[in-house]
């Protein structure tokens, strides 16, 4: 069993790399967003608490998030190893995760930081849009339809952008990310677990580097 954490700013490709690592190594991806939705749908105790908080328009507390992660780590499929994607976000969550893993006789093998400059993050996110019909993803600079205005996948002519993908909003999200993640990098670096990968290159090259980290830590 090998357990990893993927850190990185929004738009760094954490979700993409986690999925590729799942396919190549058989790990289970644990994304807090997905875990929250799953817990709410299943009506678990933590899920009910999260639903109540979200219905009120408030942020889900660390205690609820940790309870949901705790429940998920009790499921048998995590024996294959897990990738924590987007969790922990703070040192408090990191300390809680350490305690959870210790209680379950699990350990954290590596923390990988996918590094992308802020300017590139803003370009990546603010340029994103999707097909309104099938959801195929596009980008103003890096992936445009072969025929302008027509989806390559389904032929739809309508596209949409997320309202929070504009440059100003992304800049604010980055400020929050840096404030939360800087202490985390120190925390895991002090434990000798932090690895840094330049996430500006080709997706397959980044994946190969991530696989190397996995192979080194799983031996």
């Amino acid at each position: 069993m090998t357990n990893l954490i993927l850190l990185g700013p929004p738009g760094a490709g954490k979700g993409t790399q986690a999925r590729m690592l799942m396919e190549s190594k058989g790990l289970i991806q644990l994304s807090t967003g997905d875990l929250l939705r799953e817990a709410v749908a299943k009506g678990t105790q933590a899920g009910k608490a999260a639903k109540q908080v979200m219905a009120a328009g408030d942020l889900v507390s660390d205690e609820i998030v940790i309870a949901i992660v705790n429940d998920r780590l009790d499921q048998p499929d995590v024996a294959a190893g897990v990738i924590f994607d987007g969790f922990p976000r703070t040192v408090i969550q990191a300390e809680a995760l350490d305690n959870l893993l210790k209680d379950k006789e699990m350990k954290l093998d590596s923390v990988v930081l996918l590094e992308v400059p802020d300017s590139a993050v803003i370009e990546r996110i603010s340029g994103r849009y999707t097909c309104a019909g099938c959801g195929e993803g596009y980008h103003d600079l890096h992936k445009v339809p072969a025929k302008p205005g027509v989806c390559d996948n389904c032929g739809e002519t309508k596209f949409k952008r997320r309202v929070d993908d504009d440059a100003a909003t992304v800049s604010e999200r980055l400020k929050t990310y840096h404030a939360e993640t800087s202490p985390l990098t120190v925390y895991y670096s002090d434990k000798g677990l932090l690895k840094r990968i330049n996430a500006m290159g080709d997706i397959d090259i980044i994946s190969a580097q991530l696989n190397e980290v996995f192979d080194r830590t799983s031996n």
Side-chain angles (χ1 to χ4, degrees):
M1 175 198 294
T2 299
N3 302 309
L4 308 174
I5 290 174
L6 282 186
L7 298 178
K14 296 187 297 297
T16 297
Q17 292 300 329
R19 287 190 293 274
M20 295 174 74
L21 199 55
M22 286 170 62
E23 293 172 1
S24 64
K25 303 298 183 181
L27 304 183
I28 301 298
Q29 179 186 11
L30 300 187
S31 163
T32 47
D34 292 341
L35 292 181
L36 277 169
R37 287 186 285 272
E38 181 182 339
V40 169
K42 289 184 176 179
T44 65
Q45 184 175 350
K48 290 176 182 177
K51 183 177 181 179
Q52 187 174 15
V53 170
M54 291 187 291
D58 297 325
L59 293 175
V60 177
S61 68
D62 284 345
E63 289 78 11
I64 293 175
V65 172
I66 291 161
I68 288 173
V69 172
N70 178 62
D71 290 344
R72 184 64 179 85
L73 290 176
D74 284 335
Q75 297 180 29
D77 61 348
V78 302
V82 301
I83 310 166
F84 293 98
D85 173 12
F87 176 86
R89 292 185 182 276
T90 64
V91 171
I92 290 175
Q93 290 183 354
E95 292 172 340
L97 178 60
D98 285 346
N99 291 330
L100 280 183
L101 294 176
K102 183 178 179 181
D103 290 343
K104 298 177 188 303
E105 298 184 347
M106 300 169 66
K107 71 181 181 73
L108 189 60
D109 297 286
S110 187
V111 178
V112 180
L113 175 62
L114 299 180
E115 297 185 304
V116 180
D118 287 359
S119 58
V121 169
I122 293 170
E123 178 189 287
R124 284 184 183 184
I125 296 179
S126 62
R128 296 189 307 197
Y129 61 99
T130 58
C131 171
C134 68
E136 179 72 13
Y138 293 95
H139 192 278
D140 292 329
L141 299 177
H142 307 301
K143 183 185 176 184
V144 297
K147 183 178 180 181
V150 181
C151 176
D152 297 337
N153 190 49
C154 71
E156 175 64 68
T157 57
K158 294 182 180 179
F159 298 85
K160 57 184 180 181
R161 297 176 187 266
R162 284 179 46 170
V163 294
D164 59 348
D165 276 355
D166 65 279
T169 303
V170 176
S171 294
E172 288 302 312
R173 288 165 62 190
L174 282 168
K175 289 180 183 178
T176 301
Y177 163 76
H178 289 305
E180 294 177 341
T181 304
S182 292
L184 270 182
T185 56
V186 174
Y187 181 81
Y188 285 120
S189 181
D190 287 346
K191 289 178 175 290
L193 294 173
L194 188 69
K195 310 291 189 300
R196 298 173 183 268
I197 290 179
N198 181 346
M200 285 296 292
D202 181 85
I203 289 175
D204 290 332
I205 293 175
I206 298 167
S207 177
Q209 294 177 22
L210 198 50
N211 274 277
E212 286 179 11
V213 171
F214 175 91
D215 292 338
R216 286 198 303 269
T217 56
S218 62
N219 291 332

